[in-house]
Amino acid sequence: FQMSSKEKSSKSKSSSSSKAKTSSKDKTSSKDKESSKHKSSSKDKSSSSKTEKPEDAKAKSSSKHSKSEKSEKVEKPEVVVKTVDSEETLKRVKEQEEEIKRLKALVTALEKASPKVEKEEEDNSTEITFLPKKGQNVRINGEWAGVSAGGSMNHLTWRYNPQIFLWPSRSATVNITLSQPEGGTPTGIGFYVFEASYPTARRLLVDNDQMVAKSSFSKATKVEGSWLIKKSRNPYIIVPCTLDPENEMPFSVTISADAAITAQLISKEQEWPQPTILGDWSGDSAGGCENEDTVVNNPQYLLKVPNQTQLSILLLQTKFEDFDNIGFYLISTEPGRKQKISEVDIFQDDDKVVVRPEFKDPNQAFSELNLKPGSYVLVPATFDAGQEAPFNIMIMSESEMPPVSELADAAVLSISGDWEGETAGGCLNDPLRWRGNVQYSLTVEKDCELTLKLKQTSSVGSELNSIGFYVFKGGKRVIKPKKDVVFKKSKFGKMKDVSSKIKFKGSSEPYIIVPCTFDADKEGSYSFSVLSDDTSFVEYVTLDYLSEEQDLIHHNAKASWSGNTAGGCLDYSTWRQNPQFLLDIQQTTSVTMFLSLEEEDESLAPGFYVVKAPTNMNLSVNIKKEDILVKAPFSKGAREISKTFEFGPGRYNIIPCNYTPGASSKFELNLYSHVPGSAALSHIPAGIISIEGEWTPETAGGCINDMASWLKNPHLSLAVKQHTEVAVILVQNPAEEIPENLDELLEIGMYITNSDGDGNPKTNEESDLIAKAPFSPDKDVVIVGSLPACHWPYCITPTTFKAGVTGKFAITIIMDQENLEFIEFSKDPININPAEVVGAGEDPMLREIRRRFKPIASQTVELVKLTEKEEGNIPEFMTYVSRTLLQTIVQYQASIVAWADDVEPQWWLDGYDEEEVVEEVEEEAAVGGGPPPPPMGGPPPPPPPPPKLPPINFSKPPRLSMIDTTSQSAMTEDMIKELDEKPKTKLFIDDLLIAVKGGLANLRKVTPAPPKPVVEDPTVCGFFNMEILNSRRAAIEGLHDKDDSDDWSDDEWSD
């Protein structure tokens, strides 16, 4: 008779007890047919589990493991076999035998001293009763029939065998004899003995680890064994069984002891409720353990426990012997759950997981526990996903429980996306990058509780990204997240998915969802899901991309401060050299502007200004304090600053700058407007030319009041080869900051005049003065205006108001960058090549047409190139209209050149025959359909002739009926014929392209340079009206004191 490690004792080989001999005989019986697996179950708890298969030695973690790292996964436990020290065991057995001898001697002495007691009659009844029986010799009758013929522990059905509960009144030696009927076909019989965990009488879902002893199995009529037991508050359980299941027969168990005992066959009334669940792992529902994100796909069952109770759960898989290890989770949940748990992280939450599987057996998993009232989700699982098999679950409870129900798959709304490039913006630790994340709209029309789940479906690299999400209120794209608009925030972690259960208030205003990685630039794909226990929640909850009304229109432009473009704020004259942006507003809209540095720099203090753009050029170069519409405060060490402003229709300049000049940094400007199509943002590339100089005692000639002295000032040559809008800035002492004492500033001014061709100013006529900057004691003075193209350079003369005042200066000319190629600025005389001059002396309207036509012509060339690509699948009508457009551009170009030459273009002249037109007029007059007869003096000149049609038909192709299925093309036969003929010679398209390209250069019409200007006496200035000067002198001398009508106004004096 084998004893468990729990008892820590065995019978001595030298024992003379007949019971021990019988047990030894049964133990060595050759008729014991139990398998090695069966034998191993009698050992210590740790040795009863199966040895792990080599292929199962992959990382299978213990109770706290992370499914994101293989090194932390659940591991199948290894079997540790414990051995008992033989000397210690023999010593304990001898002590027990000595105790038995002492007790027997005590009993003998008591028997001699007390009256004789009649021997208890042997119970030979065959009646099956479920009442408790007491005494020192108890017989329990039973039957193996149907389900209760469960067989030995070689079979999972062994638990269905009848069970007998045994309570000893004190520690005693117990002899158990199991008998089968004589005369029948003998079958192997035996029994197991378990120690119960609880005192209540009921059928136990006993686990192998609870076994304390077992008999051998034999086909003999009787199988018996002796056992020394201790008194216990919990009963012992005897499970008689046949070796194989389905062997039906009656049996009897005789229990004799040297002390009073109580034994009872458990009836159905005494059994706990035992619902059995039949299920299977198949397809998606074979989800595996928590190491897999598919663990939520396993079958799930809801257990409702109304009162605190003892509960036993047994999971069985009987179809396959060689199968993946199995187990189950028991998870605390909220009352009323109807759908499966969908959050993987719940399976890793120790506060919610009541039972975590050990995955140590492929056929069974068992747990016995004391549960508090509440709701629980039971999730049976295999260790690996994809292992398919049917299973049974037996649940036994001490008290009545509501029926167990299977949970349905969660109702779900889902949307997919990618973190890529700018959309991999990271979390709010970097607000600049965070705004690039994709945002979604979640509309919840009534109060409800939803589960939001973010799952990363792929990641760039070998590791999972740390992910999470934000929920905002407000209903529109979030660009400036504040605490009052943050509704909820999930945790971030390197997990396959993260989820959060949130209670929402019903509202017509959507919530904004922003899924993101923790760090920026972590790319990958994801899915975002909304789940609910209410399967009808899709009727009042929607998840979608932001609508046009919710989204904001994003405008982005990038630039940098470096070198001379790091101009500083308005306190410095170099501010004009900062990069500028043109904001074109078509209709009133609110715009939020962000200035963001590429990298954080504690030494920088970024800010920006917004002003109305000038009408005569794109760049702002002359700003007064009252002109500033928006000023973003300069903040030292800030990486980003922002302002929101409501703009009306118009053109605006945005001027980002650092507070001090000379600081280098890359930056970007991000604008968000509310009205689609209401705003456009563009960077204005500026062309900047600068020359530094000095007023020395020899060159400080002062203002033009003293003409002879004025001519001593420095004179700089400016060549303008195409009409250009410019800003000319004169700065005194450019290397110095504005002094605190403004009285230290010089009074400076500047003239722009025609030149004599040799680098000197021409001042003989009033028209020679092109522009003048009034004298002012400021750091800088500015002239902004248009300079027409000219064959002779202009002359710029910077001066101080008083002669002899020395100092340094710099002159900077700023223009649109596209005009920089037409400007030349030098201290030396400049000779202009007439071939480089465009539109000198031409009509202003022609000049404007020419300016606007150039980009159109260039874009048309690129467009036609695109439609002429052979690999492109371009429809015929697109080829037709593209070539037609190109020919129109050629004609328009020729027309501009002809207009400049004051002639008619050749295509116009070739478009009609004058004689044919006259004949047509005469024919109309002959039939009476013409105009009335001409007046006396001869007929009027004929009306302007219509242009001749170009080689390709300009007429609009006829529109086909929508139901006309017989026509294959909307092109006429003539048009198709033209297309067939023209492309045969590749020169057709090439010639046109070359013509347009060449025409762009031809637009710079070469006109002969005028003769060199004739300069009269240079000391005679023609800028002033001598009559006005004489009148002023007379007024000053008092010659007209009596004539009050000749008082001089301030305007006249300033002139």
Side-chain angles (χ1 to χ4, degrees):
F1 190 76
Q2 296 181 356
M3 307 303 294
S4 73
S5 59
K6 217 170 202 182
E7 293 300 323
K8 299 286 177 94
S9 63
S10 64
K11 294 296 182 179
S12 172
K13 294 181 180 179
S14 62
S15 174
S16 60
S17 171
S18 60
K19 295 179 181 180
K21 290 179 180 179
T22 304
S23 177
S24 175
K25 181 180 179 181
D26 290 341
K27 182 176 180 181
T28 58
S29 174
S30 61
K31 297 179 181 180
D32 188 350
K33 296 184 178 180
E34 287 194 283
S35 66
S36 59
K37 173 184 172 183
H38 176 205
K39 290 179 181 179
S40 65
S41 67
S42 68
K43 297 181 181 179
D44 185 82
K45 179 176 180 180
S46 61
S47 64
S48 63
S49 59
K50 295 187 177 180
T51 304
E52 184 180 356
K53 298 177 290 185
E55 59 269 27
D56 289 334
K58 44 192 166 183
K60 300 184 177 181
S61 68
S62 60
S63 61
K64 294 183 180 179
H65 55 280
S66 170
K67 58 177 189 155
S68 63
E69 298 186 17
K70 294 184 178 179
S71 62
E72 298 181 2
K73 288 189 175 180
V74 180
E75 294 186 0
K76 296 181 181 177
E78 295 182 357
V79 174
V80 179
V81 179
K82 296 181 180 178
T83 60
V84 180
D85 191 320
S86 59
E87 292 183 2
E88 182 183 351
T89 303
L90 290 174
K91 181 179 179 181
R92 294 189 62 181
V93 170
K94 287 180 180 180
E95 291 175 354
Q96 291 178 356
E97 288 178 347
E98 294 295 332
E99 179 67 15
I100 291 172
K101 289 179 182 180
R102 189 185 69 78
L103 291 174
K104 284 183 177 181
L106 179 61
V107 170
T108 302
L110 290 173
E111 287 177 350
K112 290 180 180 180
S114 61
K116 295 286 185 180
V117 179
E118 294 184 2
K119 187 178 180 180
E120 186 176 348
E121 294 184 4
E122 186 176 353
D123 185 1
N124 294 319
S125 171
T126 58
E127 179 185 1
I128 298 176
T129 178
F130 298 98
L131 297 176
K133 293 185 177 183
K134 299 181 179 181
Q136 288 183 290
N137 191 13
V138 175
R139 178 187 173 104
I140 300 294
N141 297 318
E143 182 180 16
W144 294 304
V147 176
S148 67
S152 69
M153 291 181 69
N154 289 343
H155 309 278
L156 294 176
T157 53
W158 72 271
R159 291 180 175 84
Y160 296 106
N161 286 296
Q163 297 182 5
I164 300 169
F165 286 77
L166 173 65
W167 290 268
S169 59
R170 61 175 174 81
S171 296
T173 299
V174 176
N175 187 74
I176 303 173
T177 303
L178 171 63
S179 304
Q180 63 176 314
E182 297 181 356
T185 302
T187 185
I189 61 173
F191 60 86
Y192 305 95
V193 182
F194 300 87
E195 184 177 2
S197 302
Y198 306 101
T200 310
R202 42 100 177 138
R203 175 182 295 236
L204 272 178
L205 278 175
V206 287
D207 189 31
N208 298 1
D209 297 337
Q210 294 174 299
M211 186 172 65
V212 295
K214 75 178 181 69
S215 74
S216 61
F217 278 75
S218 171
K219 289 186 179 181
T221 304
K222 295 181 179 181
V223 174
E224 62 180 338
S226 293
W227 179 35
L228 179 64
I229 63 173
K230 296 180 179 180
K231 183 179 180 180
S232 172
R233 65 186 298 269
N234 297 330
Y236 293 90
I237 308 156
I238 303 172
V239 182
C241 55
T242 58
L243 181 62
D244 298 314
E246 300 180 2
N247 286 319
E248 299 184 350
M249 67 180 77
F251 67 86
S252 65
V253 175
T254 302
I255 308 169
S256 59
D258 54 8
I261 59 173
T262 302
Q264 179 184 17
L265 180 66
I266 298 303
S267 67
K268 291 184 178 180
E269 289 74 18
Q270 291 172 300
E271 292 179 359
W272 283 2
Q274 182 181 321
T276 299
I277 299 169
L278 303 178
D280 61 8
W281 297 294
S282 62
D284 292 339
S285 69
C289 73
E290 63 192 280
N291 292 342
E292 310 289 343
D293 62 338
T294 53
V295 64
V296 297
N297 296 339
N298 285 300
Q300 298 184 23
Y301 303 90
L302 182 65
L303 278 63
K304 299 178 181 178
V305 180
N307 304 301
Q308 184 157 342
T309 184
Q310 299 294 334
L311 194 71
S312 296
I313 303 174
L314 175 67
L315 170 65
L316 300 173
Q317 183 279 125
T318 60
K319 185 173 181 179
F320 305 106
E321 290 187 9
D322 185 14
F323 191 67
D324 195 30
N325 289 350
I326 64 174
F328 59 83
Y329 298 86
L330 188 66
I331 302 172
S332 176
T333 189
E334 69 281 357
R337 173 177 281 277
K338 297 179 181 178
Q339 296 178 335
K340 288 182 177 181
I341 294 174
S342 58
E343 304 90 348
V344 177
D345 57 338
I346 289 182
F347 286 78
Q348 301 166 343
D349 188 342
D350 291 335
D351 294 334
K352 294 185 178 180
V353 178
V354 180
V355 175
R356 191 180 299 280
E358 296 180 356
F359 296 106
K360 63 181 183 179
D361 193 286
N363 299 113
Q364 61 184 353
F366 173 79
S367 183
E368 193 169 52
L369 61 157
N370 192 328
L371 281 184
K372 297 179 180 179
S375 297
Y376 301 86
V377 176
L378 178 64
V379 186
T382 58
F383 185 82
D384 295 316
Q387 303 296 314
E388 299 186 352
F391 61 80
N392 295 348
I393 300 177
M394 297 172 61
I395 302 174
M396 290 187 175
S397 61
E398 184 180 21
S399 58
E400 288 289 340
M401 286 175 51
V404 176
S405 59
E406 184 172 5
L407 295 174
D409 290 334
V412 60
L413 295 171
S414 186
I415 201 164
S416 298
D418 297 290
W419 294 303
E420 184 178 10
E422 291 186 359
T423 64
C427 70
L428 276 173
N429 289 348
D430 186 350
L432 164 62
R433 299 295 307 279
W434 177 87
R435 282 193 299 272
N437 289 302
V438 179
Q439 301 187 12
Y440 301 95
S441 170
L442 176 65
T443 304
V444 182
E445 296 179 359
K446 70 176 186 179
D447 295 358
C448 62
E449 188 173 44
L450 302 174
T451 298
L452 306 186
K453 176 179 176 182
L454 173 62
K455 174 182 177 182
Q456 53 181 320
T457 55
S458 70
S459 61
V460 177
S462 58
E463 294 186 356
L464 291 171
N465 293 324
S466 180
I467 60 172
F469 60 86
Y470 300 87
V471 183
F472 295 94
K473 298 179 290 185
K476 290 185 178 292
R477 173 178 287 277
V478 181
I479 54 174
K480 294 176 70 174
K482 299 179 180 179
K483 289 184 178 180
D484 59 337
V485 298
V486 178
F487 182 63
K488 290 291 179 181
K489 168 183 171 290
S490 78
K491 64 180 180 181
F492 281 78
K494 284 189 175 183
M495 297 179 286
K496 191 73 174 178
D497 55 54
V498 295
S499 59
S500 182
K501 183 164 284 190
I502 303 173
K503 291 183 179 180
F504 288 89
K505 290 286 186 181
S507 173
S508 59
E509 183 180 80
Y511 296 87
I512 303 300
I513 309 294
V514 187
C516 57
T517 57
F518 185 79
D519 297 313
D521 298 322
K522 297 293 184 181
E523 298 189 344
S525 301
Y526 63 87
S527 66
F528 188 83
S529 303
V530 181
L531 307 100
S532 172
D533 291 335
D534 181 4
T535 54
S536 64
F537 88 107
V538 294
E539 298 176 3
Y540 54 85
V541 176
T542 57
L543 175 67
D544 206 346
Y545 297 96
L546 295 184
S547 66
E548 190 175 272
E549 292 74 21
Q550 295 172 303
D551 208 353
L552 299 175
I553 312 304
H554 180 209
H555 312 272
N556 174 270
K558 297 181 180 180
S560 65
W561 301 305
S562 62
N564 65 348
T565 64
C569 69
L570 291 180
D571 291 348
Y572 301 89
S573 60
T574 52
W575 69 265
R576 299 174 181 88
Q577 298 171 201
N578 288 299
Q580 296 191 26
F581 299 84
L582 181 65
L583 177 61
D584 194 350
I585 301 295
Q586 301 298 322
Q587 54 182 307
T588 301
T589 183
S590 176
V591 178
T592 300
M593 298 163 282
F594 293 90
L595 173 62
S596 309
L597 305 185
E598 184 178 66
E599 295 181 356
E600 192 169 349
D601 190 336
E602 293 294 332
S603 66
L604 298 180
F608 63 84
Y609 304 94
V610 180
V611 298
K612 273 274 192 179
T615 57
N616 54 351
M617 64 185 302
N618 291 326
L619 295 164
S620 290
V621 292
N622 196 17
I623 298 177
K624 298 178 181 179
K625 186 175 181 180
E626 57 270 21
D627 296 332
I628 299 174
L629 302 176
V630 180
K631 177 186 176 183
F634 293 90
S635 179
K636 188 169 184 178
R639 188 183 175 191
E640 180 177 78
I641 55 174
S642 63
K643 274 288 186 179
T644 300
F645 186 74
E646 185 164 315
F647 289 91
R651 298 166 73 247
Y652 302 85
N653 283 135
I654 302 176
I655 308 170
C657 54
N658 187 52
Y659 184 77
T660 56
S664 298
S665 177
K666 293 182 179 180
F667 66 85
E668 63 179 273
L669 196 62
N670 289 283
L671 273 60
Y672 295 87
S673 59
H674 291 268
V675 181
S678 61
L681 177 69
S682 59
H683 178 216
I684 310 169
I688 301 175
I689 307 174
S690 185
I691 292 179
E692 293 186 355
E694 185 175 3
W695 294 298
T696 65
E698 293 77 20
T699 61
C703 69
I704 206 169
N705 289 348
D706 184 344
M707 191 65 183
S709 177
W710 178 81
L711 290 173
K712 297 177 182 179
N713 283 296
H715 304 293
L716 300 103
S717 297
L718 175 65
V720 179
K721 304 170 187 177
Q722 178 173 289
H723 182 90
T724 305
E725 302 285 343
V726 297
V728 184
I729 305 106
L730 170 63
V731 182
Q732 58 175 298
N733 299 319
E736 300 175 6
E737 296 184 12
I738 299 176
E740 294 184 3
N741 184 5
L742 298 181
D743 294 337
E744 297 178 9
L745 291 173
L746 305 178
E747 194 169 4
I748 58 173
M750 178 173 45
Y751 301 86
I752 301 178
T753 65
N754 289 322
S755 74
D756 62 359
D758 295 324
N760 301 309
K762 181 175 180 294
T763 59
N764 298 137
E765 300 176 8
E766 188 175 354
S767 60
D768 286 332
L769 179 61
I770 307 301
K772 174 188 174 183
F775 286 88
S776 174
D778 291 318
K779 180 69 175 179
D780 54 48
V781 293
V782 182
I783 295 175
V784 179
S786 282
L787 292 180
C790 186
H791 289 91
W792 298 99
Y794 296 101
C795 184
I796 300 178
T797 305
T799 74
T800 57
F801 183 75
K802 295 180 180 180
V805 178
T806 61
K808 295 182 179 181
F809 67 85
I811 294 180
T812 300
I813 301 177
I814 301 176
M815 71 215 77
D816 293 339
Q817 191 178 49
E818 62 181 15
N819 292 325
L820 191 59
E821 62 175 306
F822 304 109
I823 301 295
E824 190 174 349
F825 190 33
S826 175
K827 293 181 179 180
D828 302 319
I830 299 174
N831 293 319
I832 301 176
N833 183 356
E836 297 177 353
V837 179
V838 178
E842 68 184 3
D843 185 280
M845 180 60 70
L846 173 60
R847 182 168 60 243
E848 182 63 17
I849 290 174
R850 186 199 308 280
R851 185 182 70 83
R852 298 192 183 190
F853 172 73
K854 284 181 61 179
I856 296 174
S858 299
Q859 292 171 9
T860 302
V861 171
E862 298 303 319
L863 179 64
V864 175
K865 282 183 179 179
L866 184 64
T867 59
E868 291 295 323
K869 287 184 177 179
E870 295 181 0
E871 65 273 14
N873 186 19
I874 305 298
E876 288 181 338
F877 58 83
M878 287 302 299
T879 304
Y880 173 83
V881 74
S882 296
R883 296 179 181 181
T884 301
L885 178 61
L886 185 61
Q887 280 201 326
T888 303
I889 290 294
V890 172
Q891 290 180 325
Y892 203 99
Q893 187 171 263
S895 301
I896 293 175
V897 174
W899 185 3
D901 293 339
D902 198 20
V903 297
E904 293 180 337
Q906 190 62 41
W907 69 266
W908 176 269
L909 297 174
D910 295 341
Y912 69 95
D913 187 331
E914 188 172 346
E915 294 182 358
E916 292 180 0
V917 174
V918 174
E919 291 177 358
E920 290 177 2
V921 173
E922 291 177 351
E923 290 177 359
E924 290 179 359
V927 297
M936 297 298 292
K948 180 181 179 181
L949 292 177
I952 297 180
N953 189 359
F954 275 98
S955 61
K956 186 177 180 180
R959 184 178 294 276
L960 295 180
S961 169
M962 294 300 292
I963 60 173
D964 184 4
T965 59
T966 59
S967 299
Q968 300 298 319
S969 173
M971 302 180 70
T972 64
E973 292 183 2
D974 291 342
M975 293 159 64
I976 295 174
K977 182 178 179 182
E978 290 170 8
L979 282 178
D980 288 341
E981 292 177 354
K982 294 295 184 182
K984 289 180 181 178
T985 304
K986 188 174 184 297
L987 293 177
F988 170 67
I989 295 299
D990 291 346
D991 289 348
L992 288 179
L993 294 176
I994 292 171
V996 173
K997 287 183 178 179
L1000 293 176
N1002 292 336
L1003 289 178
R1004 300 177 182 178
K1005 181 63 181 175
V1006 179
T1007 57
K1012 188 174 182 178
V1014 178
V1015 179
E1016 300 175 2
D1017 184 355
T1019 61
V1020 177
C1021 180
F1023 297 170
F1024 306 106
N1025 188 316
M1026 298 308 296
E1027 183 178 349
I1028 294 178
L1029 289 177
N1030 292 332
S1031 299
R1032 288 180 180 175
R1033 182 176 295 115
I1036 292 172
E1037 294 173 355
L1039 300 179
H1040 304 295
D1041 286 347
K1042 298 179 182 179
D1043 188 356
D1044 294 336
S1045 62
D1046 283 337
D1047 288 346
W1048 295 98
S1049 67
D1050 291 340
D1051 290 340
E1052 290 174 310
W1053 278 113
S1054 63
D1055 288 340

